[in-house]
Amino acid sequence: NTIADNKAMSGGGIYCIYDSDPLLKNTILWGNEAVWGNQVFIPHIDCDPDFYYCDVMGGKGDFGGAGAGMNYSGKYNNNIDMDPLFGMPGNYALGDGSPCIDSGDPDSRPDPDGTRADIGARYYKHIGIGHFGNNHSKSLDVDPAFSFTINPNPVVIKAKIRYDVAIDS
């Protein structure tokens, strides 16, 4: 899941009520705003949300409500608090260098490209050599005398790249 850039009075990202016990795994909670509990609002001590391999802006220290702070009783394991570096505004796909790439639960199903699960709803496509997220053209300098540019088609996950290499004998 990616829960980002929402605004609310309480719990800009998630509002847990009564004895709700949601389990969030491989989820981004980022840029949400609220008067109480920007990312997560836990108004009751009976709420026990669990977070595994998530990217939560402000971490659990930024949770709000009676069930937050010293009263927080949920599990909070293997999470990060780092800008997810979305590739394009409003797109929420992971951009180059995102700390969420290949950082999801290692026991989760791999991403469609066969790599470790990413954190967030939109996985980062590893194409060919190196990382080419968000289908932007990238130039690779393999050697000062040898470089090329890849322009992946956004519809195609696999691509064939043809090239010639001259070898000095």
Side-chain angles (χ1 to χ4, degrees):
N1 296 308
T2 297
I3 304 169
D5 298 331
N6 298 291
K7 294 183 183 190
M9 181 62 81
S10 301
I14 296 176
Y15 185 109
C16 298
I17 191 149
Y18 303 117
D19 62 353
S20 61
D21 301 325
L23 166 65
L24 291 102
K25 188 189 311 184
N26 300 340
T27 297
I28 296 172
L29 281 158
W30 202 266
N32 300 296
E33 297 178 20
V35 176
W36 298 290
N38 286 329
Q39 308 314 312
V40 180
F41 186 67
I42 310 169
H44 307 281
I45 60 171
D46 295 339
C47 297
D48 301 314
D50 295 333
F51 297 83
Y52 297 93
Y53 295 92
C54 295
D55 187 1
V56 182
M57 185 176 186
K60 69 179 179 180
D62 200 30
F63 292 0
M70 297 296 290
N71 292 324
Y72 176 69
S73 56
K75 294 183 177 81
Y76 196 82
N77 299 323
N78 301 303
N79 300 297
I80 60 174
D81 174 10
M82 299 174 71
D83 185 340
L85 301 175
F86 295 125
M88 301 165 99
N91 180 306
Y92 303 109
L94 301 175
D96 295 334
S98 171
C100 298
I101 298 170
D102 299 335
S103 296
D105 184 346
D107 293 329
S108 293
R109 183 176 27 155
D111 284 337
D113 61 7
T115 59
R116 179 175 166 176
D118 297 331
I119 297 174
R122 302 198 54 200
Y123 81 96
Y124 183 89
K125 295 178 184 177
H126 299 274
I127 300 174
I129 309 168
H131 296 230
F132 301 95
N134 304 323
N135 298 312
H136 296 292
S137 295
K138 296 288 178 185
S139 293
L140 291 180
D141 290 320
V142 177
D143 178 294
F146 175 69
S147 67
F148 57 93
T149 300
I150 298 175
N151 294 299
N153 181 331
V155 179
V156 179
I157 293 175
K158 294 182 180 179
K160 288 185 180 180
I161 301 169
R162 295 181 185 198
Y163 60 92
D164 295 314
V165 178
I167 300 173
D168 294 335
S169 17

